[in-house]
C-alpha cells in the first residue's frame, strides 16, 4: 500500500499515511511560511486527503493531495450535493437551512450535516440527495 503526495507538480510516494500527510504539511509550510493550522478533508469514495494551510481562520494557498490505495467498495452510497449556510450565530445558520429545506419538499433524505466555525461566521453544511 503506497500513499502518493501531489503538490506543486511534484509527486512523492510513502508507505504510511502519517508520513504522507507530514510531507504534505511540510511542503505547504515551505511554500507559504507561517501556518496556524490545517484543513484536511477526506474523500472516502476516492480515498484521497486534501490538505490546506489555515492562517487567521481561513484556508490559504494551494492544496496538497494525498492519494491512498484504491479499493472497490462492497457497498456504494453517494450523496451528490452539498449546500452551505453561513450565519452570524448558530441560530442564524440553522434558520437559513430550515427555510431553504422548507422550500424544497422534493428533498426527503439528508446524508449528513457538518458544522464549522470559520472566520466568516458559523457554517452549516447540509449534504442531501435530490
Amino acid at each position: 500500500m503506497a500513499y502518493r503526495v501531489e503538490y506543486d507538480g511534484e509527486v512523492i510516494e510513502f508507505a504510511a499515511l502519517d508520513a504522507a500527510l507530514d510531507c504534505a504539511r511540510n511542503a505547504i509550510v515551505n511554500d507559504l511560511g507561517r501556518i496556524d493550522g490545517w484543513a484536511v478533508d477526506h474523500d472516502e469514495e476516492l480515498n484521497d486527503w486534501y490538505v490546506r494551510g489555515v492562517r487567521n481562520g481561513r484556508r490559504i494557498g494551494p492544496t496538497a493531495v494525498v492519494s491512498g490505495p484504491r479499493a472497490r467498495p462492497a457497498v456504494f452510497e453517494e450523496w451528490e450535493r452539498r449546500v452551505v449556510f453561513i450565519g452570524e450565530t448558530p441560530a442564524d445558520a440553522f434558520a437559513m437551512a430550515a427555510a431553504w429545506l422548507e422550500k424544497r419538499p422534493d428533498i426527503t433524505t439528508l446524508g449528513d450535516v457538518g458544522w464549522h466555525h470559520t472566520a466568516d461566521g458559523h457554517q452549516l453544511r447540509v449534504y442531501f440527495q435530490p
Side-chain angles (χ1 to χ4, degrees):
M1 288 187 175
Y3 293 88
R4 178 181 170 125
V5 179
E6 297 178 47
Y7 183 79
D8 197 26
E10 293 187 38
V11 176
I12 303 171
E13 290 196 10
F14 292 89
L17 175 59
D18 288 341
L21 290 171
D22 285 343
C23 174
R25 291 182 190 116
N26 287 332
I28 292 170
V29 167
N30 290 339
D31 192 27
L32 301 178
R34 182 185 64 85
I35 299 293
D36 296 334
W38 302 102
V40 180
D41 297 311
H42 182 228
D43 182 330
E44 292 181 21
E45 180 182 332
L46 297 175
N47 200 27
D48 285 350
W49 288 260
Y50 303 96
V51 182
R52 289 192 66 191
V54 174
R55 188 183 299 151
N56 297 324
R58 294 181 184 237
R59 295 176 186 214
I60 62 167
T63 302
V65 179
V66 177
S67 299
R70 303 290 191 238
R72 294 181 183 225
V75 176
F76 184 81
E77 187 173 337
E78 185 175 318
W79 296 97
E80 298 179 355
R81 298 215 176 159
R82 174 183 80 177
V83 63
V84 178
F85 305 94
I86 300 174
E88 289 185 30
T89 67
D92 291 338
F94 277 101
M96 286 185 274
W100 184 84
L101 283 167
E102 188 174 26
K103 294 176 186 174
R104 288 159 182 81
D106 56 311
I107 298 174
T108 58
T109 306
L110 297 181
D112 197 6
V113 176
W115 183 256
H116 304 280
H117 180 70
T118 67
D120 296 327
H122 299 276
Q123 186 180 97
L124 176 66
R125 295 180 183 175
V126 177
Y127 297 84
F128 65 95
Q129 187 172 21

